[in-house]
Amino acid sequence: MEFLSLLCHLFIIGLSAALPLYTGGTYWKLGDTKYVLFRNLAVFCLGVWLAAGICEAVRKLVLRRRPLDGGLYEDRKGEASLSFSTMDIWVLGYGASVVLSALLSHYRETAWLGYSEWYMGALSQLIFTGIYFFISRHYDGKQYSLLLGGAALFVVLGLGICHRLGADPTGLLRGYDIRSWEYDHMLSTIGNINWFCGYCSVALAFPAAAFLKAENRWIRWGAYVISIMGLALLVIQGSDIGVILVTVCLFACMLAGISDGRVFRRTVALETGTAFLLAFYGILRKQLGARAWEAVPDDGFARTLAGWQGWWLLGVLGLGLYVVLGRMLGRGKKEQILKRITAGIMILTVLAGIAGVLLFTLRGSFEGGWGNGRGALWKASLQSFWRGDFLQKLFGAGPDCFAEYIYSTVKAGEIPGLSGRWAGTVFANAHNEWLNHLVNIGLAGTACYLGIFLTGMKRYRRYLPGFLALVLYGTVSLTGFQQVLSTPLLFMTLGIAESSVRECADTHRYTG
């Protein structure tokens, strides 16, 4: 158990620290580079875990009955029994549906290994389920691996802010012209801005929760710095979903703070710090000139937000509210009612912000060019799903077989075509994780995946990092997709959350 706990921490460090930072020195084929590291790391750690489990099972089988004096035998029961939670069952169901989908698929190689340069086939899906079970059974609650992951996130965010100021400390943008797509769409050591949003949807859950809940002052304020850096960078990174992530994150934290005045006050501190950091960024951007200006993409509304003067006002208002709430805490019933009214106003404000962002994002024809063709792609995805027979509707075309199937079944012209840089691009997924699963692994796999989210939100509601990660990843999944920097982190977080819940409930750990 001690060895496997140490291996578990090393695995967490690999997923949360090494994987985000490793680039191979270039943005070229960065997804492939990171996937190879992830696959090798996961196969090694999970392979050692399985080997240890087999050895332990054999040992228990041999020693189950041992001779006593007089030739009698005594049964030796296992030291720990199998215990499966509702979450375990959903994750097992997800893994089983993936295997069935791959076995029934007409695209065998793609179904198991994944689409070229994407690699989200059955092998990766089974690794995800393995990550959950390994960590949920062997994470011992120590924080050092998570602190190293937080330190890596700080480096990622620091480099990202440098990139949005036109600086390139790592030299990853060397050779790219200031007018090139890569200059303003590739960010930090993560890759393109959509991958960055997916990564942050899980990685930011830990520092945000630590700031809201931690008792240790140094951890709390270190988490605060990382959190406001992440929230600010999500606003200006260039993808519209990043702004939605910020508003959803603040909204979820406010909901957690309705019954806890301290958590609500700290949520206000997050909003205040983010606003002031964005205001300060605007000043630096003006001073640095053209390179900093061109470093922010202009195909969303990031440039508008990056230069918005209202951040100072939001920061001042947030600071005033933070001071007022500090004086109100613990003063009696009237102050508690006033605090809840204030919370209601703030939540309505955040909801209005979400609505505004959604209206802006949904501009244009849903069936035409909305979201770089997402509207038409979603329509084509649903059409391809309904054209399958019963067995395919149930188990899908095969894991990561979206492109193989949809381009062979949907009529020419029904799949959106892109122009410019992306002319001739093949859509490898539906750019909506749920529609993508519906086509790839069918109703069975999608239902199990939905069960993971719904069960997790209920089961981990008191473990804030797990709850936030599910909410934020669920938000990104509406316009995004599984990828090597976000989905492994999600299953890692689920494993840590499950371990925490099991520890609190004093349940048995499965050592096999």
Side-chain angles (χ1 to χ4, degrees), residues 235-472:
V235 171
I236 60 174
Q237 44 75 40
S239 177
D240 293 345
I241 195 64
V243 183
I244 297 176
L245 271 180
V246 172
T247 53
V248 169
C249 180
L250 293 175
F251 176 64
C253 293
M254 285 177 184
L255 287 179
I258 287 180
S259 59
D260 187 339
R262 184 182 62 173
V263 170
F264 180 77
R265 184 170 182 249
R266 290 178 182 177
T267 302
V268 174
L270 284 178
E271 177 273 328
T272 303
T274 302
F276 278 131
L277 186 57
L278 286 168
F280 183 64
Y281 166 80
I283 293 175
L284 283 179
R285 190 160 163 261
K286 285 183 178 179
Q287 296 295 323
L288 293 173
R291 289 193 68 86
W293 179 265
E294 294 295 333
V296 180
D298 62 353
D299 50 358
F301 54 174
R303 282 194 183 180
T304 302
L305 292 176
W308 189 47
Q309 297 300 312
W311 296 120
W312 289 110
L313 177 60
L314 280 181
V316 170
L317 290 175
L319 182 60
L321 181 58
Y322 180 81
V323 173
V324 171
L325 289 173
R327 294 180 178 180
M328 284 165 41
L329 286 175
R331 284 193 175 184
K333 190 173 182 181
K334 290 184 178 179
E335 286 77 4
Q336 186 71 11
I337 293 173
L338 182 60
K339 180 179 74 67
R340 292 190 178 186
I341 292 173
T342 306
I345 294 172
M346 291 292 289
I347 288 171
L348 287 175
T349 302
V350 172
L351 287 175
I354 294 174
V357 171
L358 288 174
L359 287 173
F360 181 88
T361 306
L362 294 173
R363 63 195 183 278
S365 170
F366 180 77
E367 294 187 359
W370 170 75
N372 290 328
R374 277 187 176 87
L377 182 61
W378 291 358
K379 181 180 178 182
S381 301
L382 285 172
Q383 289 174 342
S384 68
F385 169 75
W386 287 114
R387 286 171 182 166
D389 57 25
F390 173 77
L391 198 61
Q392 184 161 311
K393 285 186 177 69
L394 189 59
F395 294 111
D400 212 17
C401 292
F402 180 88
E404 302 270 13
Y405 174 65
I406 195 173
Y407 282 95
S408 66
T409 58
V410 177
K411 297 176 183 178
E414 292 182 348
I415 303 176
L418 299 177
S419 58
R421 173 186 173 83
W422 304 110
T425 297
V426 173
F427 285 99
N429 59 74
H431 285 257
N432 177 297
E433 201 163 307
W434 304 95
L435 284 176
N436 202 59
H437 278 331
L438 201 60
V439 173
N440 286 340
I441 55 178
L443 290 168
T446 305
C448 291
Y449 199 59
L450 180 61
I452 291 173
F453 276 77
L454 295 180
T455 300
M457 288 181 185
K458 179 181 179 182
R459 184 169 172 82
Y460 308 143
R461 63 189 182 278
R462 294 182 181 176
Y463 183 74
L464 194 54
F467 179 79
L468 278 179
L470 283 166
V471 170
L472 297 179

Side-chain angles (χ1 to χ4, degrees), residues 204-225:
L204 269 181
F206 285 96
F211 173 65
L212 294 179
K213 294 285 191 176
E215 297 296 334
N216 184 290
R217 180 178 299 179
W218 295 106
I219 291 178
R220 188 168 72 246
W221 289 108
Y224 177 71
V225 172

Side-chain angles (χ1 to χ4, degrees), residues 30 42 44 140 162 196 201 249-250 330 363 369 420 495:
L30 183 58
F44 173 77
D140 58 10
C162 288
F196 176 80
S201 70
C249 180
L250 293 175
R363 63 195 183 278

